[in-house]
Amino acid sequence: DAMVIQNPRYQVTQFGKPVTLSCSQTLNHNVMYWYQQKSSQAPKLLFHYYDKDFNNEADTPDNFQSRRPNTSFCFLDIRSPGLGDAAMYLCATSSGTGDNEQFFGPGTRLTVL
Amino acid sequence: GQNIDQPTEMTATEGAIVQINCTYQTSGFNGLFWYQQHAGEAPTFLSYNVLDGLEEKGRFSSFLSRSKGYSYLLLKELQMKDSASYLCAAYILTGGGNKLTFGTGTQLKVEL
């Protein structure tokens, strides 16, 4: 089945220790998104790629970076995680042509100790 | 800025009908999505409205009025499994690409 996969589902890191979250998709979609969702809050868009074009949200901290080496994979790098970065990180994809649905992965829950 | 409002919580009875409202004030608006999210899981797509009017899909229907900046999600014949958060999201056209701006979600509790 075509899908959006995120690994790992649960990630524990230490304060200040870099961490990378991964997302892959078999949908062959042009657009990949990263959202941060804290408890009882809305998903907040961090950035997205349209093919290789990177689009950063104005209020996304510099601590968050992303890489998209090919169509299928996209990574979220948190350079120096703080306690406030503990959240669910959601990856989503869309075809990018016209009005279209975003398909979400299951998310990675990040804990910062 | 972008502003999307929906009630924080609602409670309804199994078998009943519930309407979850959403109001928005956004620039570049190009449509309204509804997603369902169970605790600890990813959002799943329910509906998308780009034109005014009602879209019906089984037990779920969604309505949009662009002139009023208003949408609602209607859930019929409620089941216990419908207990979840329902997220309203505006589809925004921007110079940097299209994106979704989510409301904080309405936590629906279905009771016996």
Side-chain angles (χ1 to χ4, degrees), chain A residues 9-62:
Chain A
R9 295 291 308 276
Y10 300 91
Q11 176 73 57
V12 180
T13 191
Q14 292 179 332
F15 183 93
K17 185 175 180 181
V19 66
T20 295
L21 309 182
S22 73
C23 177
S24 64
Q25 53 127 344
T26 60
L27 297 160
N28 203 33
H29 279 170
N30 294 320
V31 193
M32 296 186 77
Y33 306 81
W34 279 105
Y35 291 88
Q36 178 194 63
Q37 187 177 26
K38 297 186 178 181
S39 181
S40 301
Q41 296 185 21
K44 179 180 178 300
L45 182 65
L46 295 174
F47 26 59
H48 73 278
Y49 275 94
Y50 194 115
D51 293 329
K52 294 185 178 181
D53 292 334
F54 177 71
N55 297 274
N56 196 36
E57 292 300 296
D59 56 354
T60 298
D62 292 339

Side-chain angles (χ1 to χ4, degrees), chain B residues 5-83:
Chain B
D5 288 316
Q6 48 182 135
T8 304
E9 296 178 338
M10 297 183 73
T11 302
T13 305
E14 188 179 35
I17 299 173
V18 70
Q19 178 174 312
I20 302 174
N21 296 323
C22 171
T23 57
Y24 61 89
Q25 291 177 304
T26 64
S27 56
F29 178 81
N30 203 45
L32 199 291
F33 283 88
W34 283 95
Y35 280 83
Q36 180 191 61
Q37 187 176 28
H38 285 98
E41 298 182 12
T44 55
F45 170 80
L46 290 177
S47 68
Y48 176 59
N49 294 67
V50 62
L51 300 175
D52 285 359
L54 187 68
E55 295 276 346
E56 297 186 72
K57 187 185 294 185
R59 293 190 300 115
F60 292 14
S61 303
S62 58
F63 172 84
L64 177 66
S65 169
R66 296 177 74 124
S67 61
K68 296 181 179 178
Y70 168 69
S71 174
Y72 68 73
L73 179 69
L74 193 70
L75 293 78
K76 303 176 185 176
E77 301 170 15
L78 280 173
Q79 302 175 8
M80 298 298 289
K81 67 179 182 179
D82 296 330
S83 293

Side-chain angles (χ1 to χ4, degrees), chain A residues 1-6 23-27 29 32 91-93 103-107:
Chain A
D1 288 341
M3 58 196 329
V4 182
I5 302 162
Q6 290 187 246
C23 177
S24 64
Q25 53 127 344
T26 60
L27 297 160
H29 279 170
M32 296 186 77
C91 174
T93 74
F103 294 83
F104 284 83

Side-chain angles (χ1 to χ4, degrees), chain A residues 11 13 36-39 41 64 78 81-89 108-113:
Chain A
Q11 176 73 57
T13 191
Q36 178 194 63
Q37 187 177 26
K38 297 186 178 181
S39 181
Q41 296 185 21
F64 291 85
I78 308 176
L83 298 179
D85 297 328
M88 174 76 88
Y89 289 88
T108 295
R109 182 164 295 282
L110 178 68
T111 300
V112 181
L113 300 177

